[in-house]
Amino acid sequence: MAFERIAVVGAGAWGTALANVAARAGRSVTLAARDQASADAIARTRRSPRLPDVQIDQRVAIVPAGAGDLRAQDAILLAVPAQELRAAALALAPILPAKMPVIACAKGIERGTHRFMTEVIADCLPSALPGILSGPSFAAEVACERPTAITLAVREESVAAALAQALGSASFRPYHSLDVRGVEIGGAAKNVLAIAAGIVTGRGLGANAAAALTTRGFAELFRFGKAFGAQPETLTGLSGLGDLILTCSSRLSRNFSLGIALGKGATPQEASAGILAEGTFTAAALVDMADQYGLDMPISTAVAAILEEHLSIDAAVESLLTRPLKAEA
């Protein structure tokens, strides 16, 4: 189980970074762009429009999505946005061999269905072996070989370990896990909480408030994860607490940046213009799922209400600050 041939579907910033990661690890890599025109343009310039400052490794072959080249791969990394993952998976159905590991590299919950990413893969590709790659990682830093540690989860440990080994290098350290659901929950929930952290920064509420928001946000993430069967070690690890810390503290985070714009007075439509922030799609689904389990998630609920323009930021802040004082839990 050497995983010598890796395909990355999605030639955006994250897909480009992962293609370079796999090439540096010595794998034979195919990067699938959206269509033939996109593939031709990227092959000609060796750069993705989403990551223009990074040259794609010359060892990476660039093809259009759906190309027959994907049939001969040992594993596929689906590096497309969460809300586009179903379409990307369905496009693979006619060419995918049985038991092929298909790893979601998006962090979110599908809008409407409330399905996690590996559930979407299982729906579309029932013969595949779904997995999830998630953790504290900005594409630009990964592409530039800045040290990065991340979690790769597949329910078959031998596959998870072998694939992590195949992608690993001195600058990219995948830790393998069996806790697929826990890794998915960390990646999805932290995006919503990062919007809240951005609002705190944009509103100028101070470092104390930012620290409190992140800490209490993690309590919500942990509560949600526990209800859905996640392992505590996963939630306090790279793909949970680690990713939350990164995303709630850096302007490189699209969700954090969107929150800053909201905090400064932009409408949700203005703040999200030209920015793909997965938390905007995940917030309502996260809150709906929490409600089904009777979970108390006031920060996530406030974010969802702000995004839907049912609640002003000032009203949300007042609501959170006037909640009854109680024991910390």
Side-chain angles (χ1 to χ4, degrees):
M1 200 179 297
F3 293 112
E4 292 296 337
R5 298 165 299 180
I6 304 293
V8 181
V9 175
W14 192 215
T16 299
L18 289 173
N20 276 2
V21 161
R24 288 196 295 263
R27 309 283 76 82
S28 173
V29 186
T30 299
L31 176 62
R34 183 181 299 273
D35 50 37
Q36 187 67 59
S38 298
D40 290 344
I42 294 171
R44 183 173 61 255
T45 62
R46 304 302 299 180
R47 296 178 190 274
S48 166
R50 298 292 184 181
L51 203 61
D53 295 333
V54 175
Q55 185 168 23
I56 298 173
D57 194 293
Q58 290 296 328
R59 294 167 290 184
V60 176
I62 300 169
V63 302
D69 308 60
L70 302 184
R71 193 187 304 271
Q73 304 303 311
D74 297 323
I76 292 179
L77 307 182
L78 276 183
V80 299
Q83 307 309 316
E84 297 177 18
L85 191 134
R86 183 175 293 274
L90 286 171
L92 293 173
I95 62 173
L96 196 76
K99 299 299 288 182
M100 170 82 78
V102 178
I103 312 301
C105 303
K107 303 172 182 180
I109 299 170
E110 189 177 43
R111 184 171 48 183
T113 67
H114 295 176
R115 305 286 275 173
F116 290 105
M117 297 294 95
T118 58
E119 292 178 319
V120 174
I121 292 172
D123 288 346
C124 303
L125 305 168
S127 68
L129 183 59
I132 181 78
L133 181 73
S134 187
S137 52
F138 291 136
E141 293 195 1
V142 170
C144 294
E145 298 187 67
R146 299 283 180 86
T148 301
I150 200 166
T151 305
L152 194 158
V154 184
R155 289 196 172 93
E156 290 190 16
E157 186 168 17
S158 60
V159 174
L163 188 51
Q165 186 71 29
L167 294 173
S169 66
S171 61
F172 190 77
R173 309 293 296 173
Y175 288 78
H176 70 273
S177 172
L178 301 179
D179 186 12
V180 170
R181 186 65 72 243
V183 173
E184 291 183 297
I185 286 170
K190 64 90 184 178
N191 282 334
V192 178
L193 298 168
I195 294 174
I199 291 171
V200 167
T201 297
R203 212 61 161 186
L205 298 181
N208 292 350
L213 183 285
T214 303
T215 305
R216 296 310 303 161
F218 178 66
E220 292 189 15
L221 185 156
F222 195 92
R223 197 177 301 132
F224 186 92
K226 184 177 178 181
F228 281 83
Q231 297 298 312
E233 297 82 1
T234 305
L235 300 175
T236 56
L238 289 167
S239 60
L241 180 59
D243 209 359
L244 180 70
I245 291 171
L246 178 74
T247 316
C248 287
S249 61
S250 173
R251 291 174 188 263
L252 288 176
S253 163
R254 288 170 290 188
N255 293 283
F256 184 71
S257 296
L258 182 142
I260 290 174
L262 291 171
K264 290 182 175 179
T267 66
Q269 291 74 25
E270 292 168 342
S272 60
I275 299 177
L276 176 60
E278 297 280 20
T280 60
F281 302 107
T282 299
L286 188 74
V287 170
D288 286 347
M289 294 167 74
D291 287 345
Q292 292 173 10
Y293 280 75
L295 302 176
D296 185 29
M297 298 182 63
I299 297 172
S300 301
T301 299
V303 170
I306 289 168
L307 291 172
E308 294 168 2
E309 299 188 80
H310 295 160
L311 187 68
S312 70
I313 289 176
D314 288 340
V317 170
E318 182 180 0
S319 173
L320 291 171
L321 292 178
T322 56
R323 283 171 56 81
L325 296 173
K326 59 182 181 179
E328 184 174 24

